[in-house]
Amino acid sequence: MRMGSVSTMAAAVLLSFSVSSLAIGQVATSVRSTARLIVKLRPGTAATMDTRRQTQSRTDRVRSLAARSALQLRASRDLGNDMVGLSLRSNLAGSTLDETLATLRADPDVEFAEVDQRRYARALPNDPLYLSQWYLQGVETSATNFEDAWDTTTGAADTVIAVLDTGILEHPDLAGRALPGYDFVDGESSTSFVAANDGDGWDDDPSDPGDWVTSAESQSGPLRDCDVSSSSWHGTRVAAMIAATTDNAEGIAGGMWTGKVLPVRVLGKCGGYDSDIIAGMRWAAGLPVEDLPLNPNPARILNVSLGSPGSCVPQYRTAFTELAEAGVLVVASAGNDSGPVETPANCSGVLAVAGLRQVGTKVGYSSLGSEVDISAPAGNCPELDTTFLCSYSLVTGDNTGQTVPMSSTYTDDFNFNIGTSFSAPIVSAVAGLMHSVNDGLTATEFTARIKAGARPFPPKESGIPTCPSLDSVTAQCNCTTATCGAGIADAPGAVAEALRPMARIVKPGGSGAGQNVQLDGSSSDAARGRSVAGYAWTAGNGNPLFLGATNEATATVAVPDQGLVTVRLTVTDDVGRTDTQDVTLGTTLPPPDTTPDAFAFTDLVDVALGTVQTSNAVTITGINTAAAISVTGGEYSIGCGVVFTTAPGTITNGATVCVRHTSAATNATSTDTTLTVGGVADTFTSTTSSGGGGGGAIHPLFLLGLSLLLRR
C-alpha cells in the first residue's frame, strides 16, 4: 500500500535539542530521598487562630514547626499563599521521610506537607529530522501528539511489536531495535522462488531482498498481471515509524523509544498469500506453527500494513479469534482505494486504521466505513500538482535501492511517503506505549481504550462533503464516527486510558434466571506497579437484589425468574483510578400472548353478551355469604370503575359492572365483559376473547356486591 518513493536523505539538519537523555521522559512517581519540602501553613483570622499563632510571625511559625517536628532547617523561603519551601540540613529517605511527612501533616498549624520534587524538560528527542515528523507532534489537527505521551512513558524493554511485512533492512535508526524474526514467504514449488526472491522458502532470515517487479515479469510466469514497480522497502519504513532509535542525534524519532520490533516477512514480490500471512501472525504471537520452533519473543501487538479488496474470509476470522484469545492486538491499515475497508482490516477483532489529512479530514485515497476503529495521519500532498513537493509526507527510514538494497536513507518532501500503511504503525506505536504502562490489557481492552482516548474529529470543513460522500476532485470528506472510527488517535489519551485498572467479571454459564448467581471480580487487574484497592458492586437496570457484601471481589445476586437485570463492578486502584464493567443476567420477558383465551361463567344476572364461545365453566358461589369466583386456569377481576350506590357495596337494579379474566397459564388478559344487574335470575354461559396485558386481583367490593346480588 505504498504511495510515493524515496531515494535521498533530507539535506538540512533542522534542529538539535541539547536536553540530557538521562532526563528525557522521566516523571517522578516516587522520591527516594530529599532535603527539600513544601509546607502550607493554615490561614486564619484572629478569631479563629489560637494565641500562639496570632502573636507569631510566619518565620517564627516555621521555626516552631521545625522544632515540633524535629527538622534541622538550613533555610526557608516564602512561596506566597502561606506556602513555605524548606531546605533541610540532610536528606530524608525511606521510612524517615514518610514519618516526617506524617508528623508535619498531623500538625494543627499545617494544611499540607509535600516533597519539593524535581521536574524535567519535556520529552523531546534530539534526532535532527524530528521536527519534520509532524505526525508525532501536536501542532497539526490530525497529529498523534506523542510528545505529551512521552512525558509519561517512552516505552518498556519487554514491549514487542511484530511487523508483518516485506522484511526489514539494516538501518542506522533500527540498530539494536530488531529481534530475530522469520521469513514466511514460500516458493511456487520446491525449485521456484520467484516471488520469495531469496532463493528459498520459509527460513529464519527476515531481511528484505526487494520486491520489485519488471515489465517482463508482469507479462508471464509467476508474477503475471502484477503491477510493475521498484522495491518499496515497505517493512523498513513501517518498522522505523514504530521503533526508530530515538534521542541518538541521528535521523528520526520512533513512536516507541524503548522496546523491540519483530520482523516477520510475509510479503514478497507481488504481495503474499493468506496462508503465509496467517502462519506468520501465529508464530509472531507465540502460537505453535508446524515444523517451526516456538517464537522465543512473542509479540503482544501485530502491525499488519497489508490487504486487498473483499470481505473478511473464514480463515482470517479463525486466526483473529485465536489471536484475541491469546491477548494479542492486531492493528491493520484500512486500505488505499477510497472505498470499503479492505481485508483483513474489515475482520472482527482487528483494530482498523483509516488515514487523515493534516487538517483532520479523510485523506482522499483512504478507505472508509463502519469497520474503521480509529483514524491517524496518512500523509498528503496538497501542493503536489504545482510544486512537486509533499509537505505532509510521513518521514521514516528507507533505502536508496530501486531493486536490491543500497544505502540507508529517509523519506522527505521530495521523495514522499504516504498511505494508510503508515497510519497503522503510528497506532501500533501508541499501543506499544500503552503496553509499557499496562502489560495486562487484553486485545479487546487495547482496542476499547485506544478508541476511548481518541480526540474528536474537527468541525466540518466548509465546501467538503461529509463522509461517506466524497469530494469529486480530491475524494476527501469530513469524518464521522460512523465512517472514520472513534476519532483521531491520541497517544496521551490512550496512555491515560491504559493507566486505569481493568474491571473484569466472571459469571457462571447460562442466564441465571431464578437463581442466586455468584459474580467473581477477582480477575480484575491494574497497571504496572499498581494494585486493585477496592471493589464496588452496584445495581443497574432491573434493580437486582444483592445477597451479602457489595464491597468484596465477589458478589451474589438473586436473579428473578423473568426479566433482565444489570450489575456493575467498579474497581479502584491504589492511586484512585477506576474502571467499570457491566454484566446482564436473566431472560427477556415473553411477548404478550395475543391468542384468544376464551372463558365461560355461570351467573344470576342479565349480561350484554359479546362473542359467544365454549370453554371451562365458572361458578359464582356464596349465597348469603361472601361470594367467591373460581375458574380453571385463571382468575377474574373487576373493571369499568363500578359505582356501588348503597352501602355496603349494594349494586342497584340496572347497574353495570365489567368482569375481566386473566389466564394463569399465559398471563394474557381478556377484554372486559359487561354485566347488567336486574330482571329475573337467569343462568347462562357467556364468553369473551383475549387481549394483551397483565392480570390483577378481584376487588373485594365486587365480591361483596355479587354476594348481595345473589341474595336478592
Side-chain angles (χ1 to χ4, degrees):
M1 295 184 184
R2 180 196 183 203
M3 298 181 66
S5 61
V6 142
S7 62
T8 60
M9 177 179 175
V13 174
L14 300 179
L15 184 61
S16 177
F17 294 95
S18 59
V19 178
S20 169
S21 62
L22 294 177
I24 287 177
Q26 295 180 4
V27 175
T29 56
S30 62
V31 178
R32 295 181 179 178
S33 65
T34 186
R36 300 168 68 105
L37 304 174
I38 296 176
V39 172
K40 187 176 191 302
L41 302 174
R42 290 190 182 278
T45 64
T48 60
M49 291 193 300
D50 58 32
T51 303
R52 173 179 53 81
R53 290 170 63 191
Q54 291 181 44
T55 58
Q56 286 181 313
S57 67
R58 181 173 289 107
T59 301
D60 290 337
R61 290 173 67 186
V62 170
R63 288 173 179 170
S64 296
L65 175 63
R68 294 193 301 274
S69 307
L71 293 177
Q72 297 295 316
L73 282 182
R74 183 176 63 82
S76 65
R77 181 185 299 275
D78 184 0
L79 303 178
N81 296 311
D82 292 313
M83 291 193 301
V84 182
L86 306 180
S87 296
L88 309 181
R89 294 188 182 278
S90 59
N91 279 1
L92 302 176
S95 61
T96 302
L97 174 59
D98 294 338
E99 291 168 2
T100 299
L101 289 172
T103 299
L104 288 170
R105 291 164 180 166
D107 192 287
D109 205 19
V110 173
E111 183 170 324
F112 64 72
E114 301 291 339
V115 174
D116 188 1
Q117 298 186 40
R118 285 182 182 272
R119 305 297 175 182
Y120 301 93
R122 290 288 306 278
L124 298 179
N126 61 13
D127 305 87
L129 296 178
Y130 172 68
L131 280 190
S132 63
Q133 293 179 270
W134 62 272
Y135 57 91
L136 294 179
Q137 300 163 34
V139 177
E140 300 296 341
T141 302
S142 69
T144 318
N145 197 13
F146 276 82
E147 288 182 2
D148 284 351
W150 291 335
D151 285 341
T152 301
T153 179
T154 55
D158 63 350
T159 300
V160 178
I161 300 179
V163 176
L164 289 100
D165 219 291
T166 63
I168 66 171
L169 298 172
E170 291 186 1
H171 193 285
D173 251 333
L174 288 174
R177 301 305 305 278
L179 293 164
Y182 214 85
D183 174 12
F184 285 89
V185 181
D186 208 355
E188 295 81 29
S189 68
S190 60
T191 58
S192 175
F193 305 96
V194 176
N197 198 30
D198 60 356
D200 57 24
W202 290 13
D203 60 31
D204 60 1
D205 179 9
S207 60
D208 188 347
D211 57 357
W212 80 93
V213 175
T214 67
S215 178
E217 288 174 322
S218 72
Q219 298 299 314
S220 62
L223 305 183
R224 183 184 179 91
D225 297 327
C226 295
D227 292 338
V228 176
S229 66
S230 58
S231 289
S232 66
W233 316 120
H234 195 273
T236 301
R237 294 184 178 204
V238 168
M241 293 185 73
I242 294 171
T245 305
T246 304
D247 203 41
N248 63 340
E250 181 175 1
I252 64 169
M256 186 178 68
W257 300 16
T258 307
K260 301 288 186 178
V261 289
L262 178 71
V264 181
R265 186 172 181 246
V266 295
L267 301 178
K269 300 177 74 163
C270 200
Y273 287 99
D274 288 343
S275 56
D276 292 341
I277 295 169
I278 290 170
M281 290 192 299
R282 297 186 76 256
W283 182 85
L287 300 175
V289 176
E290 186 177 9
D291 298 329
L292 293 188
L294 286 175
N295 173 17
N297 302 293
R300 288 289 307 283
I301 302 158
L302 310 184
N303 188 92
V304 184
S305 291
L306 53 85
S308 61
S311 59
C312 183
V313 290
Q315 57 265 37
Y316 276 127
R317 289 198 294 269
T318 301
F320 292 140
T321 297
E322 185 180 22
L323 290 168
E325 291 173 350
V328 176
L329 173 68
V330 180
V331 181
S333 50
N336 293 338
D337 290 333
S338 197
V341 177
E342 299 182 349
T343 194
N346 57 12
C347 294
S348 177
V350 175
L351 181 65
V353 186
L356 301 175
R357 297 172 69 243
Q358 87 283 1
V359 295
T361 55
K362 185 196 80 72
V363 70
Y365 55 79
S366 175
S367 298
L368 74 165
S370 60
E371 297 93 345
V372 174
D373 292 292
I374 200 80
S375 288
N380 61 287
C381 312
E383 66 286 78
L384 185 62
D385 291 341
T386 56
T387 65
F388 302 102
L389 289 174
C390 186
S391 56
Y392 293 101
S393 172
L394 303 181
V395 179
T396 186
D398 200 22
N399 192 278
T400 60
Q402 295 298 301
T403 54
V404 298
M406 300 294 285
S407 58
S408 298
T409 187
Y410 299 89
T411 62
D412 58 28
D413 293 357
F414 296 93
N415 298 291
F416 54 88
N417 179 67
I418 63 176
T420 61
S421 277
F422 309 108
S423 306
I426 293 174
V427 176
S428 291
V430 170
L433 295 183
M434 295 172 69
H435 179 267
S436 73
V437 300
N438 190 339
D439 57 355
L441 295 171
T442 65
T444 300
E445 289 166 343
F446 261 124
T447 296
R449 296 187 183 209
I450 287 173
K451 294 167 72 171
R455 302 195 311 276
F457 296 114
K460 294 179 180 179
E461 189 172 330
S462 61
I464 296 176
T466 298
C467 305
S469 298
L470 304 177
D471 183 85
S472 59
V473 176
T474 66
Q476 68 174 304
C477 56
N478 288 302
C479 277
T480 68
T481 55
T483 53
C484 303
I488 301 171
D490 186 67
V495 169
E497 286 291 322
L499 284 167
R500 295 191 303 105
M502 297 86 77
R504 296 168 179 162
I505 303 174
V506 177
K507 69 179 184 69
S511 69
Q515 303 174 24
N516 296 335
V517 176
Q518 185 179 67
L519 303 175
D520 188 352
S522 61
S523 61
S524 300
D525 204 353
R528 295 193 196 219
R530 304 267 65 93
S531 61
V532 175
Y535 302 84
W537 299 88
T538 54
N541 295 333
N543 296 318
L545 174 64
F546 290 97
L547 306 176
T550 58
N551 61 348
E552 298 176 356
T554 60
T556 302
V557 181
V559 183
D561 293 330
Q562 289 188 331
L564 298 176
V565 294
T566 301
V567 177
R568 168 166 293 180
L569 170 62
T570 300
V571 296
T572 305
D573 68 12
D574 52 0
V575 291
R577 298 187 182 100
T578 63
D579 186 41
T580 63
Q581 186 181 18
D582 292 348
V583 63
T584 300
L585 303 168
T587 59
T588 56
L589 289 171
D593 187 351
T594 58
T595 304
D597 183 28
F599 68 92
F601 58 88
T602 302
D603 65 8
L604 301 176
V605 294
D606 293 330
V607 179
L609 295 177
T611 303
V612 177
Q613 300 180 11
T614 303
S615 184
N616 297 322
V618 177
T619 304
I620 300 175
T621 62
I623 303 298
N624 298 321
T625 63
I629 301 177
S630 63
V631 63
T632 302
E635 64 180 14
Y636 288 111
S637 62
I638 192 170
C640 292
V642 173
V643 177
F644 299 102
T645 56
T646 60
T650 302
I651 303 177
T652 60
N653 195 35
T656 300
V657 298
C658 295
V659 176
R660 177 178 297 178
H661 172 254
T662 301
S663 169
T666 65
N667 204 39
T669 300
S670 71
T671 55
D672 291 332
T673 298
T674 302
L675 310 178
T676 302
V677 178
V680 179
D682 296 318
T683 300
F684 53 85
T685 298
S686 172
T687 62
T688 65
S689 59
S690 168
I698 304 174
H699 198 291
L701 290 179
F702 178 58
L703 298 179
L704 177 60
L706 288 174
S707 175
L708 294 173
L709 177 64
L710 293 172
R711 293 175 63 185
R712 297 178 63 225

